[in-house]
Amino acid sequence: DTGVSQNPRHKITKRGQNVTFRCDPISEHNRLYWYRQTLGQGPEFLTYFQNEAQLEKSRLLSDRFSAERPKGSFSTLEIQRTEQGDSAMYLCASRPSGTSQETQYFGPGTRLLVL
Amino acid sequence: AQSVSQHNHHVILSEAASLELGCNYSYGGTVNLFWYVQYPGQHLQLLLKYFSGDPLVKGIKGFEAEFIKSKFSFNLRKPSVQWSDTAEYFCAVNDRTGKLIFGQGTTLQVKP
């Protein structure tokens, strides 16, 4: 399967714990995006990378959130001191750098539940 | 700031009925518009996209959408829905960085 993969698919944690999610984009896709989706809403942009450079962060990304893409391939999203409001589906997408007309391909997401 | 509004949050249709899902966006510049679909238990998939040219675009599985610039709309249509079209549908616009701004989504339930 050469699509975008995300791990884990589900994560249950207690409030205050740290969690880390991983995204493996389609190989050779330079751009990698993270989104968050809560129930009944569309995905909301969190941040994106061009290769290893993080080029934009949404105001939704509080200082408890950090994302990396160290070698320009896979990316990790870490949430420190989780809160119940962090419960959501975290989606990763990738695309070639090209123009803004390029299609983003989404992974299956990681569903986080904070108890 | 760009935004996308989807008017119908939950639509229930019988098989063979026609479908039209509304989508309006706010953005003053050149727009790239997308419809994504999420089938139960699956990830988001692209249905169709519009960049320029013919305002009527055709996508996969018999879907089409019409871009009406004067109305800032990009409505999704299908002449005859099937039970397998049951899914959540998202309209989106992207900005120059490529990030997508999504609407709230419309849940479509097709009764057999």
Side-chain angles (χ1 to χ4, degrees), chain A residues 31 33 56 100-101 103-104, chain B residues 36 49 51 94 97-99:
Chain A
R31 293 265 180 112
Y33 299 79
E56 185 175 347
S100 60
Q101 298 172 359
T103 299
Q104 285 188 32
Chain B
Y36 278 84
K49 58 186 179 183
F51 303 135
N94 72 358
T97 70
K99 72 173 183 279

Side-chain angles (χ1 to χ4, degrees), chain B residues 83-103:
Chain B
W83 177 78
S84 58
D85 292 324
T86 294
E88 194 158 15
Y89 293 80
F90 295 94
C91 181
V93 63
N94 72 358
D95 69 4
R96 59 178 176 76
T97 70
K99 72 173 183 279
L100 292 165
I101 296 98
F102 286 89

Side-chain angles (χ1 to χ4, degrees), chain A residues 78-90:
Chain A
E78 181 183 15
I79 309 174
Q80 296 182 326
R81 306 181 303 281
T82 52
E83 302 173 355
Q84 288 183 325
D86 296 331
S87 296
M89 176 76 88
Y90 290 84

Side-chain angles (χ1 to χ4, degrees), chain B residues 58-77:
Chain B
K58 296 190 183 299
I60 61 172
K61 305 187 180 186
F63 286 90
E64 63 180 31
E66 185 176 13
F67 170 59
I68 303 180
K69 188 175 182 179
S70 61
K71 295 185 178 180
F72 297 90
S73 70
F74 189 56
N75 292 354
L76 182 70
R77 299 196 292 245

